[in-house]
């Protein structure tokens, strides 16, 4: 009756393997152990593991690709969480799941709070929202964390993309009219573990209690601002890159056309999470420094 983790090889899953290990016996599964597009396999897995807590870190996260592959995005981001929630409801397990800032349309001027209206602008956003809704409708005890702009040492993310481009190209243009908080995968994993401890692995949640929280690091900025900070902390030209931070050109989204529409405002107000669990949401920058140090050390 321990913890069952799905998506162990993703950015977040990798950090959850570390953060959840001291809480209870952990069974961690990746694509090799269980394909989330197979509902029957999911049910068999949960029945065999009989977990007290199911943590789902698996997802279809290719935002642009999802626009032309809605069926797969829906299967992984909506159907699979619904099946997991049904299993959790039937067995009394707690389900922990992650969602995104892309459930909002981004038109609000202030940071979003959990009770704000949702209006996803992309297939990915709609599939993630459908996942949340399936969980809420299931009657399972659940925690859903909406996070944003995840980066970590393990897996693909914006930090890796920028570092690669800064080695390949002579210049870079990045959108400056989409604002949000880069959020370290390690922070999400550590907050998940802290919340689990405070909830006594779910025993302090009522029958069928379903909670939604924003979970993002402090210090939001634009993607362009983020790119500049990445290049700056990586040392720019002195650090072996082909340009310095100031050389990165700030552009409007209209100059960077993509298949999926992204929210202009992705800022998430995390005060509910901080208050309910007596936690502090730190700045993302020290985590970025650690990540860059790890990359250099390799
Ligand atoms: N990345 C981000 O910027 C953000 C992410 N989130 C949410 O946070 C959570 C974690 O995201 P993150 O760690 O970044 O995602 P990643 O894309 O890094 O990891 C997702 C994992 O899910 C696995 N997966 C995908 N499809 C299947 C499948 N059919 N069967 C089994 N496993 C599958 C992937 O495997 P494989 O690599 O083999 O495809 C991968 O290991 C997700 O719920 C995501 O929606 C929220 C906001 C921002
Ligand atoms: C590579 C690049 C991107 N961009 C823009 C495109 C986009 O608006 C922004 C970020 O690009 P990405 O492709 O990394 O963004 P994206 O994949 O949309 O990131 C999102 O992923 C999903 C999973 C989430 O849930 C979100 O919170 C968010 O993190 O930067 C540029 O302007 N110039 C560039 O050279
Ligand atoms: Mg992406």
């Amino acid at each position: 009756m321990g913890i069952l983790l799905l998506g162990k090889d993703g950015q977040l899953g990798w950090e959850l393997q570390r953060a959840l290990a001291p809480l209870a016996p952990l069974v961690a599964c990746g694509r090799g152990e269980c394909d989330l597009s197979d509902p029957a396999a999911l049910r068999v897995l949960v029945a065999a593991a009989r977990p007290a807590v199911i943590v789902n870190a698996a997802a279809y996260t290719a935002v642009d690709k999802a626009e032309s592959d809605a069926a797969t995005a829906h299967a992984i981001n909506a159907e699979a969480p619904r099946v997991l929630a049904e299993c959790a409801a039937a067995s009394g397990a707690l389900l922990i799941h992650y969602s995104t800032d892309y459930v909002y349309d981004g038109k609000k001027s202030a940071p979003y709070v959990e009770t704000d209206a949702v209006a996803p602008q992309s297939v990915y956003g709609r599939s993630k929202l459908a996942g949340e809704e399936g969980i809420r409708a299931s009657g399972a005890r659940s925690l859903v964390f909406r996070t944003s702009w995840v980066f970590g040492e393990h897996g693909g993310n914006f930090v890796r993309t920028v570092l690669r481009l800064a080695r390949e190209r002579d210049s870079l243009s990045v959108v400056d009219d989409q604002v949000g908080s880069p959020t370290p995968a390690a922070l999400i994993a550590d907050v998940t573990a802290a919340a689990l401890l405070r909830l006594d692995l779910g025993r302090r949640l009522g029958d069928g209690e379903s909670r939604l929280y924003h979970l993002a690091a402090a210090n939001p900025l634009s993607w362009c601002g983020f790119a500049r900070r990445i290049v700056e902390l990586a040392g720019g030209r002195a650090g072996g890159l082909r340009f310095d931070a100031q050389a990165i050109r700030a552009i409007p989204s209209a100059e960077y056309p993509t298949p999926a529409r992204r929210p202009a405002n992705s800022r998430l107000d995390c005060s509910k999470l901080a208050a309910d669990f007596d936690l502090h949401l730190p700045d993302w920058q020290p985590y970025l420094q650690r990540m860059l140090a790890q990359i250099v050390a390799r």
Side-chain angles (χ1 to χ4, degrees):
M1 291 295 278
I3 303 174
L4 173 64
L5 169 64
L6 297 161
K8 74 175 175 71
D9 299 315
Q11 297 195 79
L12 176 55
W14 184 258
E15 295 292 343
L16 282 166
Q17 288 191 59
R18 167 189 59 75
L20 298 177
L23 302 188
L26 177 66
V27 175
C29 299
R31 200 185 267 275
E33 290 77 37
C34 183
D35 189 330
L36 263 78
S37 62
D38 183 349
L42 275 179
R43 289 200 176 88
V44 168
L45 178 70
V46 177
R50 300 181 62 242
V53 183
I54 302 169
V55 181
N56 180 33
Y60 185 106
T61 56
V63 176
D64 286 320
K65 198 169 156 221
E67 294 296 311
S68 53
D69 192 12
T72 312
H74 195 83
I76 310 307
N77 292 344
E79 273 301 298
R82 188 183 59 75
V83 171
L84 287 173
E86 280 173 13
C87 294
S91 70
L94 164 66
L95 175 63
I96 298 188
H97 181 74
Y98 302 90
S99 188
T100 173
D101 51 322
Y102 285 16
V103 298
Y104 298 114
D105 66 14
K107 291 177 185 147
K108 190 182 176 183
S109 51
Y112 281 92
V113 292
E114 288 85 347
T115 47
D116 280 326
V118 288
Q121 302 292 296
S122 61
V123 167
Y124 167 74
R126 282 192 290 279
S127 71
K128 292 296 293 184
L129 181 60
E132 291 186 17
E133 286 165 348
I135 291 169
R136 266 194 297 282
S138 70
R141 287 182 301 150
S142 66
L143 288 181
V144 175
F145 296 110
R146 279 185 193 149
T147 186
S148 63
W149 300 20
V150 177
F151 71 93
E153 271 141 49
H154 192 83
N157 53 58
F158 187 77
V159 179
R160 293 230 178 249
T161 304
V162 167
L163 292 175
R164 176 173 52 76
L165 295 175
R167 286 194 188 93
E168 288 173 6
R169 296 196 195 159
D170 293 322
S171 66
L172 192 63
S173 300
V174 183
V175 300
D176 200 33
D177 54 3
Q178 295 169 24
V179 177
S181 266
T183 303
L187 173 64
I188 305 171
D190 291 339
V191 166
T192 300
L196 263 175
L197 280 177
R198 298 250 204 265
L199 292 172
D200 199 8
L201 297 194
R203 287 181 280 266
R204 293 198 188 149
L205 283 178
D207 239 14
E209 188 175 347
S210 182
R211 294 200 200 170
L212 172 67
Y213 291 103
H214 287 169
L215 195 185
N219 202 11
L221 78 179
S222 73
W223 286 112
C224 180
F226 188 23
R228 285 182 176 152
R229 199 71 183 119
I230 293 161
V231 168
E232 190 180 329
L233 289 177
R237 288 163 70 93
L241 304 181
R242 294 177 72 166
F243 48 82
D244 285 326
Q246 313 87 275
I248 297 177
R249 206 164 70 89
I251 54 168
S253 297
E255 284 183 36
Y256 196 87
T258 51
R261 282 177 63 187
R262 289 159 170 83
N265 177 19
S266 275
R267 287 177 300 150
L268 302 175
D269 181 322
C270 301
S271 39
K272 183 184 170 201
L273 176 77
D276 281 12
F277 295 110
D278 196 14
L279 289 171
H280 167 74
L281 278 316
D283 191 335
W284 50 270
Q285 291 178 98
Y287 291 82
L288 175 59
Q289 272 169 313
R290 285 175 68 99
M291 174 180 174
L292 296 171
Q294 297 277 3
I295 290 174
V296 170
R298 236 175 252 140

